[in-house]
Amino acid sequence: MARRAARPAPALAAVGDTALTALAGCGPKVAEKLAARGLACLQDLWLQLPRQYEDRTRLTPIRALQPGVAAQVEGRVEAVERGFRYRPLLRVAVCDDSQGTLVLRFFHFRSAQVNQFQPGVRIRCYGTPRPGQNGLEIVHPSYRILDDAEGDALGDRLDPVYPAIEGIGPAALRRLIGLALDRLPEDGTLELLPPHVLASMQLPPLREALLTVHRPSRDADVAQLLEGRHPAQRRLVLEELLAHHLSLRRQRIAQQAHAAPVLHDDTLAARLRASLPFSLTGAQQRVFGEILADLAQPSPMLRLVQGDVGSGKTVVAALAAMLAVAHGRQAALMAPTELLAEQHLANLRGWLEPLGVQVAWLAGKVTGRARAKVLEAVASGQAQVVLGTHALMQEGVAFRDLALAIVDEQHRFGVHQRLALRDKGGGGEIGAGATVPHQLVMTATPIPRTLAMSAYADLDVSAIDELPPGRTPVQTVALSAERRPELVERIRAACAEGRQAYWVCTLIDDPEENDRPGATMRIEAQAAQTTFETLSAQLPGLRVGLVHGRMKAAEKQATMAAFKAGAIGLLVATTVIEVGVDVPNASLMIIENAERLGLAQLHQLRGRVGRGSAASSCVLLYRSPLSQLARQRLETMRETSDGFLIAERDLELRGPGELLGTRQTGLAGFRLADLARDADLLPQVHSIGERLLAESPTVADAIVARWVGGAVRYAGA
Ligand code: ADP
Ligand code: MG
């Protein structure tokens, strides 16, 4: 495995690489279960960090318990009730000297367990109390029956809670980790970070940090530990973030070792540019310039173009594609939805066919003879620019000579998909030194700069940070759903002036239904259907259209075309229109249940209006009562239309996990780091990382191997 080979320090390799079967009580069976979770050697257990701590160093009087706050209590069993309501149930009432009563509730239990709970027996238990029918109760507490003679010593330090591992009980796991920690070597062989870095940041060395995190002393700052802000945790987070950063940087370096076709002929791009009905914005010109410089290199471009909705990314992509075509090669553009891919098709045909460029189209619904024909054109190279959805990546799609792979709305795709399209380049297996296409990815979901640095360390980032001229900012208001009737008037007025409107139906929560695959789309579709019928009845004389995800593609397409042509005044839609739909004459958008949507999605949706010169507005309809979070989101939407600012807010409000979606970043599963909490470390991560790569690449490799290890699966990508 690569991780063994990459590890340079021999002493560390000796201890940290020791197989877990060396630990007492870890036979082959247990080792196998640990290995299933990627835990193979001592070092893996050192880095198996607690998710939480339980404070059993003190007792809380039952009267002082607070709902939602975990605590340890001790008392006597007062009453036991065994019953059966829908399912077996055991309730144990416990009282203590504070004269409070706590109910312990069990749904799974054995009869031996029931017999333990005799009235009068002393019991100590730990758990999180919640309000129940008769005061506070704890469901499935961890507990211990106390021997009356027992000295009842309390714990002398916080108990670490480790992520559960199937087949190994928490106590056994804790014991194994303890044994592994007993073998932790001295700092000299363990430490990988430069001492001056730790000193300047006032962070402890690795050994001390690990011991503090696994075995916090009684006087450790509990609040800090529970929040993950203890210096020992910060120390580990720093190294973990560094490892991920370095691993992405390594992927990039590996990518750049491939060759790519040199594309420098920009005559066709110049012709396209001259034929456009508008001139490029300064930002578009700058970003296109950056792309031109990349394409002229013999190594593959890896560029992310961030640009707010409506900033004009498509035309920049089309210009880039013209370089491939000018060199007699192919370009592909992949979009996340059919709706968007179709819109690109219409745009690109309009722009490119007059220049004699052949545009082909491939989506799931292109089947049979039509599909065979497209595949043939793609394989022969007759199709110069190929547009499509995920269908582009399917088996059987082979390009003759793909020189540029463009992925639109990158946040909808994963790293793997991006690479899959790249691998359509032809020439079979991608080995070191093989020729691969250039890659351009575009996203309208801007992410804060600090995060971009970390999440996209394998990409160069350009920003189209300017909107085409003549756009007026969208006026946004939040309205309670009771005021819905006013909106009907508003739509009537807008349409009477020749403008058009969207009415977006979003899902109303129904957790049971939502669990089922496809249910979201169905419920959304139903809501849209109902709204469509109501609004059609309320707006006689206005042509109302409907699009949702469950309609036939041809129907959707016809409706979109009619809306684009102005034949439909009001379009009732589900969130399928979120991405990319471009109808400049639409100037009013109503979003139902806006309180349920995230900021990124609201911003995307709102981006469908304000694309023309008319003053546009967006109405966010909500149902009361609003949660604090929802209120803040709607407030943010009213205050700003700056995508970067919204992204920053989004990060604050809900953390980066969702914002980035691990699937798109490859930043899967941090052990300890939390990008929202730890974002302030990123600038340092970046600079330490660059220095290590330049000055001590073997140390850099060792850090990656330690934290990311076998997970570096794109290293050869
Ligand atoms: P997005 O960045 O959201 O993908 P699009 O590429 O769909 O934006 O562009 C939005 C609209 O703006 C399209 O109608 C496009 O033709 C138009 N457009 C793009 N660039 C310019 C420009 N420089 N001047 C005027 N209109 C432009
Ligand atoms: Mg777009």
Side-chain angles (χ1 to χ4, degrees), residues 278-281 284 308-315 351 468-469 471 582 611:
F278 49 77
S279 48
L280 297 185
T281 63
Q284 284 171 319
D308 218 337
V309 280
S311 61
K313 294 182 289 295
T314 319
V315 70
W351 288 334
R471 307 254 169 102
D582 183 36
R611 302 189 142 234

Side-chain angles (χ1 to χ4, degrees), residues 183-206:
R183 301 192 183 206
L184 207 53
E186 288 312 308
D187 278 323
T189 52
L190 197 60
E191 190 58 58
L192 290 171
L193 296 188
H196 68 268
V197 168
L198 294 177
S200 70
M201 295 174 73
Q202 297 187 322
L203 294 173
L206 183 60

Side-chain angles (χ1 to χ4, degrees), residues 102-225:
L102 172 70
V103 175
L104 311 180
R105 186 190 280 266
F106 299 84
F107 297 108
H108 316 281
F109 48 89
R110 285 164 286 118
S111 18
Q113 222 172 335
V114 181
N115 297 333
Q116 288 182 312
F117 297 116
Q118 296 299 335
V121 153
R122 271 175 69 219
I123 179 173
R124 186 181 287 170
C125 62
Y126 182 94
T128 305
R130 312 246 172 243
Q133 288 158 331
N134 316 304
L136 290 179
E137 59 181 44
I138 301 182
V139 176
H140 285 259
S142 68
Y143 70 93
R144 192 155 66 93
I145 306 287
L146 297 178
D147 188 337
D148 259 336
E150 203 174 331
D152 10 305
L154 290 169
D156 60 354
R157 57 166 82 117
L158 296 179
D159 291 334
V161 181
Y162 293 102
I165 291 186
E166 205 177 311
I168 302 182
L173 181 61
R174 220 176 290 176
R175 195 184 64 83
L176 287 174
I177 292 175
L179 289 176
L181 288 172
D182 291 342
R183 301 192 183 206
L184 207 53
E186 288 312 308
D187 278 323
T189 52
L190 197 60
E191 190 58 58
L192 290 171
L193 296 188
H196 68 268
V197 168
L198 294 177
S200 70
M201 295 174 73
Q202 297 187 322
L203 294 173
L206 183 60
R207 183 184 154 83
E208 184 189 327
L210 284 173
L211 288 175
T212 306
V213 169
H214 283 288
R215 301 170 167 169
S217 63
R218 191 168 186 174
D219 55 7
D221 187 329
V222 180
Q224 261 189 349
L225 274 172

Side-chain angles (χ1 to χ4, degrees), residues 60-67 69-73 101-102 127 129 136 138:
T60 304
I62 290 178
R63 274 210 180 278
L65 287 176
Q66 285 173 28
V69 180
Q72 178 170 251
V73 301
T101 304
L102 172 70
L136 290 179
I138 301 182

Side-chain angles (χ1 to χ4, degrees), residues 310 313-314 340 343-344 408-409 442 444 579-580 611:
K313 294 182 289 295
T314 319
L340 185 51
Q343 187 182 292
H344 283 327
D408 194 16
E409 301 302 347
M442 308 194 287
V579 171
R611 302 189 142 234

Side-chain angles (χ1 to χ4, degrees), residues 671-712:
R671 294 166 199 258
L672 194 61
D674 170 338
L675 283 175
R677 180 189 65 205
D678 306 319
D680 62 311
L681 287 172
L682 289 171
Q684 265 129 332
V685 165
H686 192 72
S687 67
I688 301 169
E690 293 313 296
R691 239 179 113 170
L692 282 176
L693 281 175
E695 293 167 13
S696 339
T698 52
V699 175
D701 283 350
I703 294 175
V704 174
R706 174 183 279 175
W707 288 88
V708 189
V712 192

